[in-house]
Amino acid sequence: MTGRSFGPEFHQLPVEIPIFPLPSALLLPAGQLPLNIFEPRYIAMINHALATPTRLIGMVQPAEKPVAGNPVPDLFRVGCAGRIAFFQESDDGRYVIALKGVSRFKINNASLHDSGFRTATVDWNDFANDLRIDLSAFDRRPLMEVLRRYFDLKGFDTDWTQIEKSDNQQLLATLSMVCPFETVEKQALLEAESMANRADLLIAMMEMALHEETGDHDARH
């Protein structure tokens, strides 16, 4: 059971999906990513995805330099597929969509579709647990403590009541997606093996930012 009433089961995940390379646009399972689509090739990509049973698009970050041993060296090998959960046409020919994170994947190879967007054959097997609600526990207190200092430093307007109500998986996915980390840092968050690992990475990245911008000597290393 996936815990996602509209999402696909593991056996329904397709071998090939359209992929959308977009720098710093991170998607994680259970996360939501709004996108404004206007390039003709990506309009075609949305039309293609909407015509499939799963409506999946693979979000993947371009690699800042070629990745050795990667079958598609200009892209990070691990991405995350999202289901088109919201779709709207605008009067000026754009699509406004929202992707709901479903599962991470590894790219086996990629090719160019006739309409100009890329597709990839992918392997889901390492991430089968992404389709299940993660109920594992971790201590939120250290994360929340550094999060308050980090958001204060960045001047983010925050609804702390809503953050406190978020479950662990949703909280970590949202923070990983919205915090202004570097591409490599976001990729590390994407590839984290567990929620606890992802929480530790978030704490370390926020503490490093605090240390660099304020000279906070309490930051852990």
Side-chain angles (χ1 to χ4, degrees):
M1 182 174 178
T2 66
R4 296 178 175 88
S5 54
F6 294 103
E9 300 290 338
F10 184 78
H11 70 274
Q12 296 172 317
L13 294 172
V15 174
E16 183 176 73
I17 57 173
I19 56 173
F20 191 6
L22 196 60
S24 299
L26 187 67
L27 179 64
L28 283 168
Q32 295 207 35
L33 179 65
L35 292 170
N36 188 8
I37 309 295
F38 55 88
E39 287 189 47
R41 59 178 168 165
Y42 294 128
I43 294 286
M45 177 188 69
I46 300 303
N47 290 334
H48 174 87
L50 286 170
T52 66
T54 54
R55 303 198 312 240
L56 293 180
I57 291 173
M59 297 301 302
V60 58
Q61 294 194 115
E64 296 173 341
K65 58 183 180 179
V67 181
N70 193 337
V72 187
D74 63 325
L75 301 175
F76 283 101
R77 189 177 184 191
V78 176
C80 182
R83 180 180 59 84
I84 300 175
F86 173 83
F87 169 83
Q88 186 175 39
E89 298 176 354
S90 69
D91 292 336
D92 57 0
R94 293 177 294 111
Y95 284 162
V96 178
I97 70 169
L99 296 180
K100 176 75 171 181
V102 172
S103 175
R104 293 170 292 174
F105 58 83
K106 285 184 177 178
I107 296 176
N108 289 330
N109 57 63
S111 59
L112 193 65
H113 190 273
D114 291 342
S115 296
F117 61 90
R118 298 170 84 173
T119 63
T121 57
V122 297
D123 185 351
W124 310 93
N125 288 313
D126 287 349
F127 308 108
N129 287 332
D130 284 356
L131 274 77
R132 302 182 180 93
I133 295 176
D134 191 341
L135 299 177
S136 59
F138 68 92
D139 187 356
R140 288 172 63 134
R141 288 174 298 175
L143 176 63
M144 297 304 296
E145 288 171 3
V146 71
L147 181 64
R148 287 181 181 275
R149 291 189 290 130
Y150 180 81
F151 275 20
D152 183 61
L153 173 71
K154 296 296 184 181
F156 293 162
D157 186 15
T158 309
D159 184 347
W160 289 107
T161 301
Q162 186 60 43
I163 286 179
E164 293 287 353
K165 290 180 179 178
S166 300
D167 63 45
N168 289 339
Q169 187 177 29
Q170 184 182 33
L171 174 65
L172 293 177
T174 301
L175 292 178
S176 299
M177 291 167 61
V178 303
C179 289
F181 299 130
E182 298 294 329
T183 299
V184 173
E185 292 174 322
K186 283 184 174 284
Q187 190 66 27
L189 290 166
L190 173 67
E191 297 186 23
E193 293 183 1
S194 67
M195 287 202 305
N197 293 147
R198 189 168 290 128
D200 287 343
L201 281 171
L202 278 166
I203 290 170
M205 290 174 187
M206 287 188 286
E207 286 184 331
M208 184 60 70
L210 287 163
H211 178 73
E212 290 176 350
E213 296 194 33
T214 69
D216 185 351
H217 296 293
D218 290 333
R220 292 179 296 168
H221 300 282

